[in-house]
Each structure stands twice: as structure tokens, then as C-alpha cells.
Amino acid sequence: SSIIYAGTSGKGIYKSSNDGKSWFPIHTDDLLNISLKVTSLAIDPHSKGKIYLTTQGNGIIVGEPDK
């Protein structure tokens, strides 16, 4: 199955490990602010688990939720 990440507008970042059948919020020190308004999200292809987010009002955030 595929891992999918989704950013929301004010509800944080979510991860699915089963092709989107169920979703769980990501809460780490790097990605703790669940009220972030995520405008785009990218996964680093060279660093497993590293996520880059652009946000409305909070700039660019880099986190590693799988660590």
C-alpha cells in the first residue's frame, strides 16, 4: 500500500499508510502547530520521511514525522 500525506487549511497535516482508507494527524516537534494553513507539501526523495511545507503566514517548514 502507498503512504500519502495531506496538508489542510487550518487542521494540520495528515498521513495515510493504506492508500487513503484512514488518516492520522502528524504531531512532531517540527510539525506541531496543527492550526497551520498548508498551501503546498513536498516529500524529499533523497531523505526518507522529510516533508517540506509552505504555509500561509508561517513561511516554509521542514519536518520529519517518521522519526
Side-chain angles (χ1 to χ4, degrees):
S1 63
S2 297
I3 295 174
I4 305 168
Y5 292 94
T8 66
S9 181
K11 299 288 184 182
I13 303 114
Y14 288 79
K15 176 181 177 179
S16 172
S17 298
N18 56 9
D19 298 318
K21 292 181 180 86
S22 58
W23 293 88
F24 300 95
I26 295 173
H27 297 291
T28 68
D29 291 340
D30 296 330
L31 303 172
L32 186 58
N33 186 352
I34 62 169
S35 65
L36 289 174
K37 293 183 179 178
V38 178
T39 55
S40 62
L41 180 149
I43 307 299
D44 187 332
H46 304 292
S47 180
K48 185 178 183 220
K50 187 176 281 188
I51 298 176
Y52 296 86
L53 305 173
T54 58
T55 65
Q56 182 179 352
N58 293 89
I60 298 171
I61 297 172
V62 179
E64 296 187 55
D66 292 333
K67 293 210 171 198

Short mmCIF file of all heavy atoms in Angstrom, two decimals:
data_model
loop_
_atom_site.label_atom_id
_atom_site.label_comp_id
_atom_site.label_asym_id
_atom_site.label_seq_id
_atom_site.Cartn_x
_atom_site.Cartn_y
_atom_site.Cartn_z
N SER A 1 0.83 -1.19 0.00
CA SER A 1 0.00 0.00 0.00
C SER A 1 0.87 1.25 0.00
O SER A 1 2.04 1.20 0.34
CB SER A 1 -0.95 -0.01 1.20
OG SER A 1 -0.24 0.02 2.40
N SER A 2 0.28 2.36 -0.37
CA SER A 2 1.02 3.61 -0.51
C SER A 2 0.84 4.51 0.70
O SER A 2 -0.20 4.52 1.33
CB SER A 2 0.52 4.37 -1.74
OG SER A 2 0.77 3.62 -2.90
N ILE A 3 1.89 5.29 0.98
CA ILE A 3 1.81 6.32 2.02
C ILE A 3 1.45 7.62 1.34
O ILE A 3 2.04 7.99 0.32
CB ILE A 3 3.15 6.44 2.77
CG1 ILE A 3 3.44 5.15 3.52
CG2 ILE A 3 3.12 7.64 3.71
CD1 ILE A 3 4.79 5.10 4.18
N ILE A 4 0.47 8.32 1.91
CA ILE A 4 0.00 9.59 1.37
C ILE A 4 0.02 10.62 2.49
O ILE A 4 -0.39 10.33 3.61
CB ILE A 4 -1.43 9.47 0.82
CG1 ILE A 4 -1.52 8.35 -0.21
CG2 ILE A 4 -1.90 10.80 0.23
CD1 ILE A 4 -2.95 7.97 -0.57
N TYR A 5 0.50 11.82 2.19
CA TYR A 5 0.45 12.94 3.13
C TYR A 5 -0.49 13.99 2.58
O TYR A 5 -0.57 14.19 1.36
CB TYR A 5 1.84 13.56 3.30
CG TYR A 5 2.83 12.67 3.98
CD1 TYR A 5 3.69 11.86 3.24
CD2 TYR A 5 2.92 12.62 5.36
CE1 TYR A 5 4.62 11.04 3.86
CE2 TYR A 5 3.85 11.80 6.00
CZ TYR A 5 4.69 11.02 5.24
OH TYR A 5 5.59 10.21 5.86
N ALA A 6 -1.20 14.68 3.48
CA ALA A 6 -2.10 15.75 3.06
C ALA A 6 -1.99 16.91 4.03
O ALA A 6 -2.02 16.72 5.25
CB ALA A 6 -3.54 15.24 3.02
N GLY A 7 -1.86 18.10 3.49
CA GLY A 7 -1.89 19.31 4.30
C GLY A 7 -3.27 19.94 4.19
O GLY A 7 -3.94 19.82 3.16
N THR A 8 -3.71 20.57 5.27
CA THR A 8 -5.05 21.16 5.28
C THR A 8 -4.96 22.66 5.53
O THR A 8 -3.90 23.19 5.85
CB THR A 8 -5.91 20.53 6.39
OG1 THR A 8 -5.35 20.88 7.66
CG2 THR A 8 -5.98 19.01 6.25
N SER A 9 -6.07 23.31 5.42
CA SER A 9 -6.15 24.73 5.71
C SER A 9 -6.67 24.93 7.12
O SER A 9 -7.86 25.09 7.36
CB SER A 9 -7.08 25.42 4.70
OG SER A 9 -7.14 26.80 4.98
N GLY A 10 -5.76 24.83 8.09
CA GLY A 10 -6.12 25.08 9.47
C GLY A 10 -6.35 23.85 10.33
O GLY A 10 -6.66 23.96 11.51
N LYS A 11 -6.19 22.65 9.78
CA LYS A 11 -6.41 21.42 10.56
C LYS A 11 -5.16 20.56 10.64
O LYS A 11 -5.22 19.40 11.04
CB LYS A 11 -7.56 20.59 9.96
CG LYS A 11 -8.88 21.30 9.96
CD LYS A 11 -9.44 21.39 11.35
CE LYS A 11 -10.83 22.02 11.29
NZ LYS A 11 -11.42 22.20 12.59
N GLY A 12 -4.00 21.06 10.21
CA GLY A 12 -2.75 20.34 10.34
C GLY A 12 -2.41 19.46 9.15
O GLY A 12 -2.93 19.62 8.06
N ILE A 13 -1.52 18.50 9.41
CA ILE A 13 -1.01 17.60 8.39
C ILE A 13 -1.42 16.18 8.76
O ILE A 13 -1.34 15.78 9.92
CB ILE A 13 0.52 17.70 8.29
CG1 ILE A 13 0.93 19.14 7.99
CG2 ILE A 13 1.07 16.79 7.20
CD1 ILE A 13 1.67 19.75 9.11
N TYR A 14 -1.82 15.41 7.75
CA TYR A 14 -2.30 14.04 7.98
C TYR A 14 -1.52 13.06 7.12
O TYR A 14 -1.02 13.41 6.06
CB TYR A 14 -3.79 13.94 7.67
CG TYR A 14 -4.64 14.63 8.70
CD1 TYR A 14 -4.79 16.00 8.68
CD2 TYR A 14 -5.25 13.90 9.71
CE1 TYR A 14 -5.54 16.64 9.65
CE2 TYR A 14 -6.00 14.53 10.69
CZ TYR A 14 -6.15 15.91 10.65
OH TYR A 14 -6.87 16.54 11.62
N LYS A 15 -1.48 11.81 7.59
CA LYS A 15 -0.79 10.75 6.88
C LYS A 15 -1.69 9.52 6.79
O LYS A 15 -2.37 9.17 7.74
CB LYS A 15 0.49 10.38 7.64
CG LYS A 15 1.26 9.22 7.05
CD LYS A 15 2.49 8.91 7.88
CE LYS A 15 3.24 7.71 7.35
NZ LYS A 15 4.44 7.43 8.14
N SER A 16 -1.65 8.89 5.62
CA SER A 16 -2.34 7.62 5.42
C SER A 16 -1.30 6.59 4.99
O SER A 16 -0.47 6.86 4.13
CB SER A 16 -3.41 7.74 4.34
OG SER A 16 -3.94 6.46 4.05
N SER A 17 -1.34 5.43 5.61
CA SER A 17 -0.42 4.33 5.24
C SER A 17 -1.14 3.22 4.49
O SER A 17 -0.57 2.16 4.25
CB SER A 17 0.23 3.75 6.49
OG SER A 17 0.99 4.73 7.14
N ASN A 18 -2.42 3.46 4.15
CA ASN A 18 -3.21 2.41 3.50
C ASN A 18 -4.00 2.95 2.30
O ASN A 18 -5.19 2.70 2.17
CB ASN A 18 -4.13 1.73 4.50
CG ASN A 18 -5.06 2.69 5.20
OD1 ASN A 18 -5.14 3.87 4.84
ND2 ASN A 18 -5.76 2.23 6.21
N ASP A 19 -3.29 3.69 1.46
CA ASP A 19 -3.88 4.22 0.22
C ASP A 19 -5.05 5.17 0.46
O ASP A 19 -5.95 5.28 -0.37
CB ASP A 19 -4.32 3.09 -0.70
CG ASP A 19 -3.17 2.21 -1.15
OD1 ASP A 19 -2.10 2.76 -1.47
OD2 ASP A 19 -3.33 0.98 -1.18
N GLY A 20 -5.07 5.85 1.60
CA GLY A 20 -6.12 6.84 1.87
C GLY A 20 -7.37 6.30 2.53
O GLY A 20 -8.34 7.03 2.70
N LYS A 21 -7.37 5.05 2.93
CA LYS A 21 -8.55 4.48 3.59
C LYS A 21 -8.76 5.07 4.99
O LYS A 21 -9.89 5.26 5.43
CB LYS A 21 -8.45 2.97 3.65
CG LYS A 21 -8.54 2.31 2.29
CD LYS A 21 -8.45 0.80 2.38
CE LYS A 21 -8.54 0.16 1.03
NZ LYS A 21 -7.26 0.08 0.34
N SER A 22 -7.66 5.35 5.70
CA SER A 22 -7.76 6.02 7.00
C SER A 22 -6.61 7.02 7.12
O SER A 22 -5.57 6.88 6.48
CB SER A 22 -7.70 5.00 8.14
OG SER A 22 -6.51 4.25 8.08
N TRP A 23 -6.85 8.07 7.91
CA TRP A 23 -5.90 9.17 8.05
C TRP A 23 -5.62 9.44 9.52
O TRP A 23 -6.51 9.31 10.36
CB TRP A 23 -6.49 10.43 7.41
CG TRP A 23 -6.62 10.31 5.93
CD1 TRP A 23 -7.68 9.79 5.24
CD2 TRP A 23 -5.65 10.68 4.96
NE1 TRP A 23 -7.43 9.82 3.90
CE2 TRP A 23 -6.19 10.38 3.69
CE3 TRP A 23 -4.38 11.25 5.02
CZ2 TRP A 23 -5.50 10.63 2.52
CZ3 TRP A 23 -3.70 11.50 3.85
CH2 TRP A 23 -4.26 11.19 2.61
N PHE A 24 -4.37 9.81 9.82
CA PHE A 24 -3.97 10.13 11.18
C PHE A 24 -3.20 11.44 11.19
O PHE A 24 -2.37 11.67 10.31
CB PHE A 24 -3.10 9.00 11.75
CG PHE A 24 -3.82 7.69 11.77
CD1 PHE A 24 -3.68 6.79 10.73
CD2 PHE A 24 -4.66 7.38 12.82
CE1 PHE A 24 -4.38 5.59 10.74
CE2 PHE A 24 -5.36 6.18 12.84
CZ PHE A 24 -5.22 5.29 11.79
N PRO A 25 -3.45 12.31 12.17
CA PRO A 25 -2.70 13.56 12.24
C PRO A 25 -1.24 13.31 12.58
O PRO A 25 -0.91 12.35 13.28
CB PRO A 25 -3.39 14.33 13.36
CG PRO A 25 -4.07 13.30 14.19
CD PRO A 25 -4.40 12.16 13.26
N ILE A 26 -0.37 14.14 12.04
CA ILE A 26 1.06 14.07 12.32
C ILE A 26 1.35 15.09 13.41
O ILE A 26 1.08 16.27 13.24
CB ILE A 26 1.89 14.39 11.07
CG1 ILE A 26 1.67 13.35 10.00
CG2 ILE A 26 3.36 14.51 11.43
CD1 ILE A 26 2.32 13.70 8.68
N HIS A 27 1.91 14.65 14.51
CA HIS A 27 2.29 15.55 15.60
C HIS A 27 3.73 15.27 15.99
O HIS A 27 4.02 14.28 16.64
CB HIS A 27 1.38 15.35 16.81
CG HIS A 27 -0.04 15.67 16.55
ND1 HIS A 27 -0.49 16.94 16.32
CD2 HIS A 27 -1.12 14.87 16.43
CE1 HIS A 27 -1.79 16.92 16.09
NE2 HIS A 27 -2.19 15.67 16.15
N THR A 28 4.63 16.12 15.55
CA THR A 28 6.03 16.05 15.95
C THR A 28 6.46 17.44 16.36
O THR A 28 5.74 18.41 16.15
CB THR A 28 6.93 15.57 14.79
OG1 THR A 28 6.95 16.58 13.79
CG2 THR A 28 6.46 14.26 14.20
N ASP A 29 7.64 17.56 16.93
CA ASP A 29 8.13 18.89 17.31
C ASP A 29 8.22 19.81 16.10
O ASP A 29 7.91 20.99 16.19
CB ASP A 29 9.52 18.78 17.96
CG ASP A 29 9.46 18.13 19.33
OD1 ASP A 29 8.37 18.10 19.93
OD2 ASP A 29 10.50 17.64 19.78
N ASP A 30 8.64 19.27 14.95
CA ASP A 30 8.78 20.09 13.74
C ASP A 30 7.43 20.50 13.17
O ASP A 30 7.30 21.57 12.59
CB ASP A 30 9.55 19.34 12.66
CG ASP A 30 10.97 19.02 13.06
OD1 ASP A 30 11.54 19.80 13.85
OD2 ASP A 30 11.49 18.00 12.60
N LEU A 31 6.44 19.65 13.27
CA LEU A 31 5.14 19.87 12.64
C LEU A 31 4.03 19.97 13.69
O LEU A 31 2.91 19.56 13.46
CB LEU A 31 4.84 18.73 11.67
CG LEU A 31 5.87 18.51 10.58
CD1 LEU A 31 5.57 17.23 9.81
CD2 LEU A 31 5.93 19.68 9.64
N LEU A 32 4.34 20.53 14.85
CA LEU A 32 3.42 20.51 15.98
C LEU A 32 2.21 21.42 15.80
O LEU A 32 1.14 21.12 16.28
CB LEU A 32 4.19 20.91 17.24
CG LEU A 32 3.43 20.81 18.55
CD1 LEU A 32 2.93 19.39 18.78
CD2 LEU A 32 4.33 21.24 19.70
N ASN A 33 2.36 22.53 15.11
CA ASN A 33 1.28 23.50 15.02
C ASN A 33 0.17 22.99 14.11
O ASN A 33 0.21 23.14 12.90
CB ASN A 33 1.83 24.83 14.50
CG ASN A 33 0.81 25.92 14.52
OD1 ASN A 33 -0.37 25.69 14.79
ND2 ASN A 33 1.24 27.13 14.24
N ILE A 34 -0.86 22.38 14.71
CA ILE A 34 -1.91 21.78 13.89
C ILE A 34 -2.82 22.82 13.26
O ILE A 34 -3.66 22.48 12.43
CB ILE A 34 -2.74 20.75 14.69
CG1 ILE A 34 -3.44 21.40 15.86
CG2 ILE A 34 -1.89 19.59 15.12
CD1 ILE A 34 -4.46 20.52 16.53
N SER A 35 -2.68 24.10 13.62
CA SER A 35 -3.51 25.14 13.01
C SER A 35 -2.87 25.71 11.75
O SER A 35 -3.38 26.66 11.17
CB SER A 35 -3.78 26.26 14.01
OG SER A 35 -2.56 26.91 14.33
N LEU A 36 -1.76 25.13 11.30
CA LEU A 36 -1.10 25.61 10.09
C LEU A 36 -2.04 25.56 8.89
O LEU A 36 -2.78 24.60 8.71
CB LEU A 36 0.11 24.74 9.75
CG LEU A 36 1.33 24.86 10.64
CD1 LEU A 36 2.36 23.82 10.23
CD2 LEU A 36 1.93 26.24 10.56
N LYS A 37 -1.97 26.60 8.08
CA LYS A 37 -2.70 26.61 6.81
C LYS A 37 -1.69 26.23 5.73
O LYS A 37 -0.93 27.06 5.26
CB LYS A 37 -3.32 27.96 6.56
CG LYS A 37 -4.42 28.25 7.55
CD LYS A 37 -5.09 29.56 7.28
CE LYS A 37 -6.19 29.73 8.32
NZ LYS A 37 -6.89 30.99 8.16
N VAL A 38 -1.67 24.96 5.38
CA VAL A 38 -0.70 24.43 4.42
C VAL A 38 -1.14 24.78 3.01
O VAL A 38 -2.26 24.48 2.61
CB VAL A 38 -0.56 22.90 4.59
CG1 VAL A 38 0.40 22.34 3.57
CG2 VAL A 38 -0.11 22.57 6.00
N THR A 39 -0.22 25.43 2.25
CA THR A 39 -0.54 25.78 0.87
C THR A 39 0.08 24.81 -0.12
O THR A 39 -0.41 24.66 -1.23
CB THR A 39 -0.10 27.22 0.56
OG1 THR A 39 1.28 27.37 0.88
CG2 THR A 39 -0.91 28.21 1.39
N SER A 40 1.19 24.16 0.26
CA SER A 40 1.76 23.10 -0.56
C SER A 40 2.62 22.20 0.31
O SER A 40 3.07 22.58 1.38
CB SER A 40 2.56 23.65 -1.74
OG SER A 40 3.65 24.42 -1.29
N LEU A 41 2.84 20.99 -0.18
CA LEU A 41 3.56 19.96 0.57
C LEU A 41 4.40 19.17 -0.41
O LEU A 41 3.94 18.85 -1.50
CB LEU A 41 2.52 19.06 1.24
CG LEU A 41 2.96 17.91 2.11
CD1 LEU A 41 1.93 17.69 3.19
CD2 LEU A 41 3.14 16.66 1.31
N ALA A 42 5.65 18.88 -0.04
CA ALA A 42 6.53 18.06 -0.89
C ALA A 42 7.30 17.10 -0.02
O ALA A 42 7.69 17.42 1.10
CB ALA A 42 7.48 18.95 -1.67
N ILE A 43 7.54 15.91 -0.54
CA ILE A 43 8.33 14.89 0.14
C ILE A 43 9.72 14.88 -0.49
O ILE A 43 9.85 14.85 -1.71
CB ILE A 43 7.69 13.49 -0.03
CG1 ILE A 43 6.22 13.50 0.41
CG2 ILE A 43 8.49 12.44 0.71
CD1 ILE A 43 5.98 13.86 1.84
N ASP A 44 10.75 14.90 0.34
CA ASP A 44 12.13 14.87 -0.14
C ASP A 44 12.44 13.47 -0.66
O ASP A 44 12.43 12.51 0.11
CB ASP A 44 13.08 15.25 0.99
CG ASP A 44 14.51 15.42 0.54
OD1 ASP A 44 14.91 14.78 -0.46
OD2 ASP A 44 15.23 16.19 1.18
N PRO A 45 12.75 13.31 -1.95
CA PRO A 45 13.02 11.97 -2.49
C PRO A 45 14.36 11.40 -2.05
O PRO A 45 14.61 10.21 -2.19
CB PRO A 45 12.99 12.19 -4.00
CG PRO A 45 13.38 13.61 -4.17
CD PRO A 45 12.82 14.34 -2.97
N HIS A 46 15.23 12.24 -1.46
CA HIS A 46 16.56 11.79 -1.06
C HIS A 46 16.69 11.56 0.44
O HIS A 46 17.70 11.07 0.90
CB HIS A 46 17.62 12.79 -1.52
CG HIS A 46 17.57 13.04 -2.99
ND1 HIS A 46 17.90 12.09 -3.93
CD2 HIS A 46 17.18 14.13 -3.69
CE1 HIS A 46 17.74 12.58 -5.14
NE2 HIS A 46 17.30 13.81 -5.03
N SER A 47 15.68 11.95 1.19
CA SER A 47 15.73 11.81 2.65
C SER A 47 14.40 11.24 3.12
O SER A 47 13.40 11.95 3.21
CB SER A 47 15.99 13.17 3.30
OG SER A 47 16.04 13.05 4.69
N LYS A 48 14.38 9.95 3.41
CA LYS A 48 13.13 9.27 3.77
C LYS A 48 12.41 9.96 4.92
O LYS A 48 12.96 10.17 5.99
CB LYS A 48 13.43 7.83 4.17
CG LYS A 48 12.18 7.04 4.43
CD LYS A 48 12.50 5.61 4.78
CE LYS A 48 11.18 4.89 4.94
NZ LYS A 48 11.16 3.96 6.00
N GLY A 49 11.16 10.34 4.67
CA GLY A 49 10.32 10.92 5.70
C GLY A 49 10.39 12.43 5.85
O GLY A 49 9.62 13.00 6.59
N LYS A 50 11.30 13.10 5.14
CA LYS A 50 11.41 14.55 5.28
C LYS A 50 10.33 15.23 4.44
O LYS A 50 10.17 14.92 3.26
CB LYS A 50 12.78 15.06 4.87
CG LYS A 50 12.96 16.54 5.18
CD LYS A 50 14.36 17.01 4.85
CE LYS A 50 15.28 16.60 5.97
NZ LYS A 50 16.63 17.17 5.83
N ILE A 51 9.58 16.14 5.08
CA ILE A 51 8.49 16.84 4.42
C ILE A 51 8.78 18.35 4.42
O ILE A 51 9.22 18.89 5.44
CB ILE A 51 7.16 16.60 5.15
CG1 ILE A 51 6.80 15.12 5.11
CG2 ILE A 51 6.04 17.43 4.56
CD1 ILE A 51 5.56 14.79 5.90
N TYR A 52 8.51 18.99 3.30
CA TYR A 52 8.62 20.44 3.19
C TYR A 52 7.20 20.99 3.03
O TYR A 52 6.44 20.50 2.19
CB TYR A 52 9.45 20.83 1.97
CG TYR A 52 10.88 20.38 2.05
CD1 TYR A 52 11.25 19.11 1.62
CD2 TYR A 52 11.86 21.22 2.55
CE1 TYR A 52 12.57 18.69 1.69
CE2 TYR A 52 13.18 20.81 2.63
CZ TYR A 52 13.52 19.55 2.19
OH TYR A 52 14.82 19.13 2.26
N LEU A 53 6.87 22.00 3.81
CA LEU A 53 5.55 22.62 3.72
C LEU A 53 5.72 24.10 3.44
O LEU A 53 6.62 24.74 3.99
CB LEU A 53 4.80 22.51 5.04
CG LEU A 53 4.60 21.15 5.67
CD1 LEU A 53 3.99 21.31 7.05
CD2 LEU A 53 3.73 20.30 4.79
N THR A 54 4.86 24.66 2.61
CA THR A 54 4.72 26.10 2.56
C THR A 54 3.38 26.41 3.21
O THR A 54 2.41 25.66 3.06
CB THR A 54 4.78 26.66 1.13
OG1 THR A 54 3.76 26.06 0.34
CG2 THR A 54 6.13 26.39 0.49
N THR A 55 3.36 27.48 3.96
CA THR A 55 2.17 27.81 4.74
C THR A 55 1.76 29.25 4.53
O THR A 55 2.56 30.09 4.11
CB THR A 55 2.44 27.60 6.24
OG1 THR A 55 3.43 28.53 6.67
CG2 THR A 55 2.89 26.18 6.54
N GLN A 56 0.54 29.52 4.85
CA GLN A 56 0.03 30.88 4.80
C GLN A 56 0.36 31.55 6.12
O GLN A 56 -0.17 31.19 7.17
CB GLN A 56 -1.48 30.87 4.58
CG GLN A 56 -2.08 32.24 4.46
CD GLN A 56 -3.57 32.15 4.21
OE1 GLN A 56 -4.13 31.09 3.99
NE2 GLN A 56 -4.22 33.29 4.26
N GLY A 57 1.32 32.47 6.10
CA GLY A 57 1.66 33.23 7.28
C GLY A 57 2.77 32.66 8.14
O GLY A 57 3.25 33.32 9.05
N ASN A 58 3.22 31.43 7.89
CA ASN A 58 4.28 30.82 8.69
C ASN A 58 5.50 30.44 7.87
O ASN A 58 6.39 29.77 8.38
CB ASN A 58 3.77 29.58 9.43
CG ASN A 58 2.75 29.91 10.47
OD1 ASN A 58 1.56 29.96 10.18
ND2 ASN A 58 3.19 30.17 11.68
N GLY A 59 5.55 30.80 6.60
CA GLY A 59 6.71 30.52 5.77
C GLY A 59 6.86 29.05 5.42
O GLY A 59 5.88 28.31 5.34
N ILE A 60 8.11 28.64 5.25
CA ILE A 60 8.43 27.26 4.89
C ILE A 60 8.82 26.50 6.15
O ILE A 60 9.59 26.98 6.97
CB ILE A 60 9.58 27.21 3.87
CG1 ILE A 60 9.14 27.92 2.58
CG2 ILE A 60 9.99 25.77 3.59
CD1 ILE A 60 10.25 28.12 1.59
N ILE A 61 8.29 25.28 6.29
CA ILE A 61 8.59 24.44 7.44
C ILE A 61 9.10 23.09 6.93
O ILE A 61 8.56 22.54 5.97
CB ILE A 61 7.32 24.22 8.29
CG1 ILE A 61 6.85 25.57 8.84
CG2 ILE A 61 7.57 23.22 9.41
CD1 ILE A 61 5.51 25.51 9.52
N VAL A 62 10.14 22.59 7.58
CA VAL A 62 10.69 21.28 7.24
C VAL A 62 10.52 20.38 8.46
O VAL A 62 10.84 20.77 9.57
CB VAL A 62 12.19 21.37 6.87
CG1 VAL A 62 12.74 19.99 6.54
CG2 VAL A 62 12.39 22.33 5.71
N GLY A 63 9.98 19.18 8.26
CA GLY A 63 9.79 18.26 9.37
C GLY A 63 10.06 16.83 8.95
O GLY A 63 10.07 16.51 7.76
N GLU A 64 10.26 15.96 9.93
CA GLU A 64 10.47 14.54 9.70
C GLU A 64 9.56 13.74 10.61
O GLU A 64 9.98 13.26 11.66
CB GLU A 64 11.94 14.17 9.93
CG GLU A 64 12.86 14.85 8.95
CD GLU A 64 14.29 14.38 9.04
OE1 GLU A 64 14.51 13.15 8.93
OE2 GLU A 64 15.16 15.22 9.23
N PRO A 65 8.28 13.58 10.23
CA PRO A 65 7.32 12.93 11.10
C PRO A 65 7.55 11.44 11.34
O PRO A 65 7.02 10.88 12.27
CB PRO A 65 5.99 13.15 10.38
CG PRO A 65 6.37 13.31 8.96
CD PRO A 65 7.70 14.01 8.98
N ASP A 66 8.33 10.79 10.49
CA ASP A 66 8.56 9.35 10.64
C ASP A 66 9.71 9.02 11.57
O ASP A 66 10.04 7.87 11.76
CB ASP A 66 8.80 8.71 9.27
CG ASP A 66 7.56 8.74 8.42
OD1 ASP A 66 6.46 8.76 8.99
OD2 ASP A 66 7.70 8.77 7.20
N LYS A 67 10.34 10.00 12.19
CA LYS A 67 11.47 9.76 13.09
C LYS A 67 11.02 9.74 14.51
O LYS A 67 10.09 10.29 14.90
CB LYS A 67 12.55 10.82 12.88
CG LYS A 67 13.17 10.66 11.52
CD LYS A 67 14.57 11.12 11.54
CE LYS A 67 15.20 10.74 10.23
NZ LYS A 67 16.56 10.74 10.20
#
